[in-house]
């Protein structure tokens, strides 16, 4: 089992906040940005490397960290030093706010995707089942998540991503 950590920037509607819901159900722990464990895998849209199964060793040791904030304020994304920043590969959102939009996942979708890629399918499904759209996220992205989880490293994940995007969207 991989620890799921959440740094909540408090920017979303608390009634719809997937990060708060993960914390409420004991699926994640809240952490201040200054208290993120050294070596944690931070899911970041600005990372230069894609998350891959090769990151599992870091995730098992120090967890994965999701920064919960709105996409409109993404430029305020914290970038603490000493962490393993990783970007999620191409995936589609299934939540009601961003349904069908590529790469605009909410915090729970990001955690589910990361856990699937890192080989923690049962843990990922436990989070997904807490959300009405969770099974749809798995259905929409299942083949991609399976392929990403079988990659050997970040370069392989990027290669697989390019296969899904096709030459016109690279």
């Amino acid at each position: 089992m991989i620890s799921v950590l959440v740094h909540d920037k408090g920017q979303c509607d608390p009634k719809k906040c997937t990060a708060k819901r993960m914390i409420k159900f004991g699926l994640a722990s809240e952490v201040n940005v200054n208290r993120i464990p050294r070596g944690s895998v931070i899911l970041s849209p600005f990372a230069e490397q894609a998350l891959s199964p090769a990151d599992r060793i870091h995730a098992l040791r120090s967890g994965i960290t999701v920064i919960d904030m709105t996409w409109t304020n993404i430029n305020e994304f914290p970038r603490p030093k000493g962490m393993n920043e990783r970007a999620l590969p191409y995936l589609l959102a299934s939540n009601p706010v961003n349904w069908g939009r590529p790469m605009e996942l909410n915090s729970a979708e990001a955690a589910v995707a990361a856990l699937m890629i890192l080989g923690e399918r049962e843990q990922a499904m436990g989070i997904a089942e807490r959300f009405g759209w969770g099974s749809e996220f798995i259905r929409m992205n299942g083949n991609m998540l399976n392929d990403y989880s079988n990659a050997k490293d970040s370069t392989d994940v990027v290669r697989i991503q390019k296969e899904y995007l096709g030459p016109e969207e690279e």
Side-chain angles (χ1 to χ4, degrees):
M1 182 170 248
I2 293 173
S3 295
V4 177
L5 307 169
V6 175
H7 172 64
D8 185 1
K9 298 275 285 175
Q11 296 177 348
C12 60
D13 179 347
K15 293 178 184 172
K16 297 178 184 176
C17 183
T18 63
K20 287 186 186 337
R21 193 163 176 188
M22 287 191 298
I23 293 164
K24 176 182 175 183
F25 290 114
L27 302 168
S29 301
E30 190 165 12
V31 63
N32 182 294
V33 74
N34 299 323
R35 298 282 186 207
I36 297 171
R38 190 164 192 72
S40 179
V41 177
I42 295 185
L43 303 179
S44 168
F46 301 111
E48 294 180 14
Q49 277 189 288
L51 181 72
S52 78
D55 294 305
R56 181 174 170 78
I57 189 145
H58 301 295
L60 284 169
R61 197 175 310 132
S62 303
I64 60 170
T65 301
V66 177
I67 308 294
D68 186 74
M69 60 187 303
T70 64
W71 281 100
T72 54
N73 296 329
I74 202 66
N75 290 332
E76 298 172 13
F77 193 91
R79 311 223 24 219
K81 300 215 183 302
M83 305 298 161
N84 298 298
E85 273 190 81
R86 298 292 186 265
L88 288 171
Y90 179 82
L91 295 163
L92 299 171
S94 68
N95 68 76
V97 175
N98 292 321
W99 192 92
R101 290 186 187 158
M103 307 305 296
E104 290 197 25
L105 309 182
N106 65 30
S107 293
E109 289 169 321
V112 168
L115 291 167
M116 294 283 279
I117 292 167
L118 295 171
E120 293 291 334
R121 183 174 180 78
E122 190 174 314
Q123 186 181 359
M125 297 302 282
I127 294 173
E129 71 186 16
R130 290 293 188 162
F131 299 90
W133 43 259
S135 61
E136 179 70 359
F137 180 75
I138 302 296
R139 187 196 65 74
M140 287 172 63
N141 296 291
N143 290 339
M144 288 184 285
L145 288 167
N146 186 54
D147 290 347
Y148 297 145
S149 72
N150 288 316
K152 64 179 192 269
D153 57 23
S154 180
T155 302
D156 203 21
V157 167
V158 171
R159 179 192 57 75
I160 293 165
Q161 174 179 270
K162 286 180 180 179
E163 289 175 10
Y164 279 104
L165 291 173
E168 67 279 350
E169 296 199 36
E170 290 178 21

